[in-house]
Amino acid sequence: MKRIIVSVVLLAAMLTIQAREVPQVANIMARNTTSLNGKWNYIVDVQEEGYYDYRMNPTRWGFFLNAKPQRPEDLIEYDFDAAPTMQVPGDWNTQDERLFFYEGTVWLKRSFAHQRREGHRTLLYFSAVNYDTHVYLNGQHVGHHVGGFTPFNYDVTELLREGENVVILKVDNKRRAENVPTQIFDWWNYGGITRDVMLVDVEPVYVENYRLQLLSREGRQVGFSVKLNQAEAGQQVTLSIPELKIRKVLTTAADGTASVTMKAKPQLWTPANPKLYKVEIQMGQTTLSDEIGFRTIETRGKQILLNGEPIFLKGVCIHEEKPNGGGRANGTDDALQLLSWAKELGCNFVRLAHYPHNEYMVRQAERMGILVWSEIPVYWTIAWTNPATFDNAQRQLTDMIRRDQNRANVIIWSIANETPHSAERDDFLGRLAQYARSLDSTRLISMAMEVTSAANYKNRLQDNMNKYVDVVSFNQYVGWYRDVNDAPKMVWEIPYDKPVIISEFGGGAKYGLHGPKNQRWTEEFQENLYEQNLAMLDKIEGLSGTTPWVLKDFRSPRRVLNGIQDYYNMKGIFSDKGEKKKAFYVLKKWYEGK
Ligand code: GCB
């Protein structure tokens, strides 16, 4: 009997010492955080012996225990503290040349000191880890997450110790058919903890997320809503926007939410005047600061209207990659570098391809007056009939929207890129589009489609997804995957009364390689391709924007031509080093006229 009681007590203790995943806390930059960035020890585990035993069953004695020999005769065949270190955030491919092409499991470990704060809770927050991640704290499994470009967090209060703590991640970036993205994609599969890691100090009841936006221009109606982490009634949340003389005290309902609509006359956010207001949201001892802009975005027939005025989106596609040799971009400096080039081109818009970029990028664009198309990596041949694949895509969509729903510059949520037509794909994407709209009905929904029929130079866009999108976008590669001389003969039929964005066009050139305009890979070839394409695009009825492919040359394992590509997709308007190719000037001039 005594043994049973002891076991029950032990079991109860084990059950309480647990961490759990909680919904993403928004506006991480304003939270009370302790950074866990810096040097992490890593062990490359090609056969995952730190996770599976020699019968391929998950082992209890895995690397997550961070075991150390206790006696001289003990056999432990790994030692994190003797292992090399890499910088976090950072991909592993560009930090260890042996890992340049590596796709598999790497274990990462870091120790940190912690002091408990009575009455507070602690979350362990990852801005993104690519791709499949198991998180352990002090030897305990905290959670498992899939998806490489969105934040996730765990309440680890009970697992934290006073003094030294050890966090260990098993990160696996193997490509798999059921993943999002799937097995094939035209960019580098950078693995690792690619964005910030931190501990977040919160009160037991905290503001999980909120939304503040202009509801209507005419009545100057501003809406604010807030959601707590718990269904707690009677909590007071105060919203202040000092410059607008707004101060509202809201009381939460039984479901832990509250909302209010108020009259306000803010200056509107525009690319020319990206006005942001200082906002404070206070509850209990905690105040969250933000900077928020007010604008409306809508469509009328084939026009996109920003603040009620038609706007032409002068854009460019961007991958989240650093210049000068690649590696995942992260942080304000990288964002500033990439976005300044887009500005130099004359852009007021960027397509952040092909996955949600880091939050610094979106916020920096907002400060610079650059509108954003944000997308999830539902790219090419997704496993349309696999329910887990759908759940994964839906989760990435949710986390992208939850993170950036207060950014005035984000105007388009895109749910897919160049997906092959089928009934299963239509079902998958249809559900995803409806879900996106249910989460956020205040932005436009789009996806990068393809033109499927092209007899006699007649290109007709036919896609069953047309009814789900607000903006009809499609990629076309006349001049690259088709003859450039076809351009003047092309006729484009887009049989939908919706605005049109050409979400990709372009072709490759090696910076500094010169020759006649019909010689592939020369700057002149790309220059001519841009001239022909821009003239052709000018004839498309309802054209509301373009995002040529792509701002700068970027690493891709699919681009193997020696001496020219060397594992770079060369369609950049800038080289990887930031040199301007001739096409830059053609596009810039065209944008000046728009
Ligand atoms: C596309 C894809 C993009 C590729 C590009 C290319 O259509 O959407 O991810 O990198 O073409 O260079 O072929």
Side-chain angles (χ1 to χ4, degrees):
M1 186 61 185
K2 203 169 152 196
R3 259 177 77 175
I4 295 176
I5 292 171
V6 171
S7 311
V8 168
V9 170
L10 268 177
L11 187 71
M14 274 170 66
L15 285 178
T16 54
I17 303 184
Q18 260 191 2
R20 62 191 176 92
E21 182 163 17
V22 293
Q24 178 199 148
V25 283
N27 191 7
I28 191 65
M29 292 174 187
R31 306 270 171 176
N32 182 7
T33 58
T34 307
S35 172
L36 296 182
N37 291 348
K39 298 274 180 225
W40 288 53
N41 295 94
Y42 68 98
I43 297 175
V44 181
D45 188 8
V46 176
Q47 295 199 2
E48 303 190 298
E49 63 154 326
Y51 190 78
Y52 296 109
D53 66 16
Y54 78 131
R55 297 291 182 253
M56 274 306 280
N57 296 312
T59 172
R60 289 161 56 200
W61 312 110
F63 290 0
F64 44 85
L65 293 180
N66 188 33
K68 301 286 174 195
Q70 302 299 314
R71 302 166 306 170
E73 63 268 36
D74 283 352
L75 173 65
I76 296 172
E77 291 183 275
Y78 70 95
D79 181 0
F80 277 107
D81 298 312
T85 59
M86 73 168 80
Q87 187 64 32
V88 167
D91 61 88
W92 61 57
N93 313 74
T94 57
Q95 297 197 59
D96 178 340
E97 63 184 29
R98 294 172 307 166
L99 299 182
F100 184 61
F101 287 109
Y102 185 67
E103 298 183 302
T105 283
V106 174
W107 295 82
L108 295 113
K109 173 248 170 191
R110 149 163 198 164
S111 314
F112 60 93
H114 179 73
Q115 277 191 323
R116 278 178 176 279
R117 261 185 95 181
E118 267 331 300
H120 281 232
R121 302 199 68 81
T122 306
L123 312 183
L124 175 57
Y125 179 99
F126 298 92
S127 306
V129 183
N130 191 41
Y131 169 88
D132 180 302
T133 310
H134 284 276
V135 179
Y136 303 87
L137 183 60
N138 298 327
Q140 302 282 324
H141 192 243
V142 169
H144 177 216
H145 181 263
V146 292
F149 302 98
T150 37
F152 55 102
N153 47 212
Y154 304 95
D155 184 332
V156 293
T157 313
E158 264 74 44
L159 283 183
L160 283 168
R161 293 188 194 132
E162 198 65 26
E164 164 138 319
N165 290 266
V166 177
V167 58
I168 290 179
L169 264 58
K170 173 186 182 291
V171 183
D172 179 3
N173 72 335
K174 274 195 284 306
R175 286 166 294 113
R176 296 179 201 275
E178 68 275 19
N179 287 357
V180 182
T182 182
Q183 248 161 341
I184 50 168
F185 47 89
D186 188 19
W187 67 85
W188 209 264
N189 185 19
Y190 291 115
I193 309 176
T194 50
R195 297 185 191 160
D196 301 324
V197 186
M198 53 201 112
L199 294 171
V200 192
D201 174 81
V202 289
E203 294 177 65
V205 182
Y206 57 88
V207 170
E208 181 180 284
N209 210 333
Y210 54 89
R211 189 193 282 242
L212 176 65
Q213 61 194 180
L214 188 63
L215 298 177
S216 96
R217 252 172 316 109
E218 291 80 26
R220 293 283 158 112
Q221 291 278 320
V222 170
F224 174 69
S225 60
V226 58
K227 180 178 180 299
L228 307 182
N229 65 317
Q230 283 177 28
E232 280 256 341
Q235 293 282 340
Q236 291 210 331
V237 180
T238 307
L239 164 77
S240 344
I241 315 175
E243 211 182 321
L244 292 175
K245 301 198 167 44
I246 286 177
R247 190 168 179 283
K248 292 269 173 206
V249 182
L250 288 74
T251 305
T252 57
D255 65 353
T257 69
S259 59
V260 65
T261 308
M262 61 212 121
K263 275 221 183 313
K265 258 195 155 208
Q267 271 181 54
L268 300 182
W269 186 101
T270 64
N273 177 31
K275 170 74 187 161
L276 298 174
Y277 287 87
K278 289 214 178 341
V279 170
E280 288 192 339
I281 293 139
Q282 176 264 323
M283 193 183 96
Q285 303 302 309
T286 308
T287 301
L288 295 174
S289 310
D290 207 340
E291 298 203 322
I292 293 187
F294 299 95
R295 56 101 187 99
T296 57
I297 190 76
E298 65 209 301
T299 65
R300 187 175 56 208
K302 284 185 176 276
Q303 288 180 322
I304 294 177
L305 308 178
L306 177 72
N307 300 324
E309 302 287 328
I311 183 168
F312 187 83
L313 301 173
K314 304 184 235 182
V316 70
C317 292
I318 307 185
H319 261 298
E320 190 192 54
E321 190 183 79
K322 287 181 202 278
N324 297 313
R328 272 270 162 262
N330 188 46
T332 301
D333 289 352
D334 289 340
L336 196 59
Q337 170 81 90
L338 296 166
L339 293 167
S340 308
W341 290 346
K343 268 261 159 177
E344 253 192 275
L345 253 178
C347 294
N348 59 12
F349 180 54
V350 289
R351 175 180 176 209
L352 299 183
H354 279 298
Y355 37 76
H357 285 213
N358 64 78
E359 197 170 346
Y360 298 102
M361 185 72 171
V362 180
R363 285 186 180 261
Q364 186 57 35
E366 187 177 49
R367 287 191 283 268
M368 292 168 75
I370 300 176
L371 295 155
V372 163
W373 156 314
S374 189
E375 88 188 47
I376 52 169
V378 174
Y379 180 99
W380 292 355
T381 59
I382 291 290
W384 305 115
T385 55
N386 184 334
T389 303
F390 180 82
D391 292 349
N392 181 349
Q394 189 177 42
R395 168 81 199 265
Q396 296 192 43
L397 182 67
T398 309
D399 288 329
M400 170 175 78
I401 294 178
R402 291 280 183 254
R403 195 194 71 185
D404 290 341
Q405 61 186 359
N406 286 312
R407 302 282 71 81
N409 61 331
V410 177
I411 51 168
I412 293 176
W413 301 126
S414 171
I415 57 162
N417 179 76
E418 285 186 355
T419 48
H421 293 188
S422 71
E424 292 77 20
R425 168 265 200 187
D426 288 356
D427 174 62
F428 187 109
L429 293 183
R431 284 189 290 143
L432 214 50
Q434 282 169 309
Y435 178 71
R437 205 176 290 289
S438 75
L439 287 185
D440 183 3
S441 59
T442 68
R443 288 182 174 80
L444 308 178
I445 291 181
S446 195
M447 54 184 276
M449 300 173 176
E450 290 172 301
V451 169
T452 44
S453 67
N456 304 325
Y457 305 106
K458 261 211 171 145
N459 298 275
R460 196 177 155 81
L461 182 66
Q462 266 170 323
D463 192 316
N464 294 334
M465 288 298 102
N466 75 78
K467 55 178 182 284
Y468 295 105
V469 296
D470 301 299
V471 178
V472 178
S473 308
F474 64 95
N475 302 347
Q476 66 78 22
Y477 278 92
V478 173
W480 191 252
Y481 299 122
R482 280 188 74 158
D483 188 352
V484 75
N485 299 311
D486 288 352
K489 300 173 226 159
M490 288 291 189
V491 178
W492 298 89
E493 272 180 36
I494 297 131
Y496 313 117
D497 187 28
K498 297 188 177 182
V500 177
I501 292 181
I502 304 299
S503 35
E504 284 177 34
F505 69 92
K510 189 176 162 90
Y511 173 76
L513 185 67
H514 295 286
K517 65 180 182 194
N518 65 350
Q519 190 185 327
R520 259 206 213 239
W521 308 113
T522 61
E523 286 191 46
E524 287 72 14
F525 187 100
Q526 192 193 37
E527 179 187 38
N528 182 47
L529 183 152
Y530 268 78
E531 280 165 358
Q532 298 300 322
N533 267 269
L534 297 175
M536 178 183 78
L537 298 185
D538 269 333
K539 290 187 265 172
I540 295 182
E541 197 210 333
L543 187 72
S544 288
T546 52
T547 49
W549 190 256
V550 56
L551 182 72
K552 81 155 187 86
D553 297 342
F554 61 95
R555 284 204 186 274
S556 168
R558 300 173 69 85
R559 307 297 172 171
V560 299
L561 181 61
N562 285 310
I564 297 284
Q565 294 175 314
D566 302 312
Y567 296 108
Y568 274 96
N569 182 315
M570 301 298 282
K571 297 189 189 72
I573 297 162
F574 287 81
S575 74
D576 177 53
K577 294 198 174 67
E579 297 140 326
K580 298 181 182 94
K581 303 181 193 173
K582 288 184 130 188
F584 169 91
Y585 302 97
V586 178
L587 183 61
K588 185 177 168 68
K589 194 159 165 235
W590 192 68
Y591 277 160
E592 273 162 12
K594 289 278 156 198

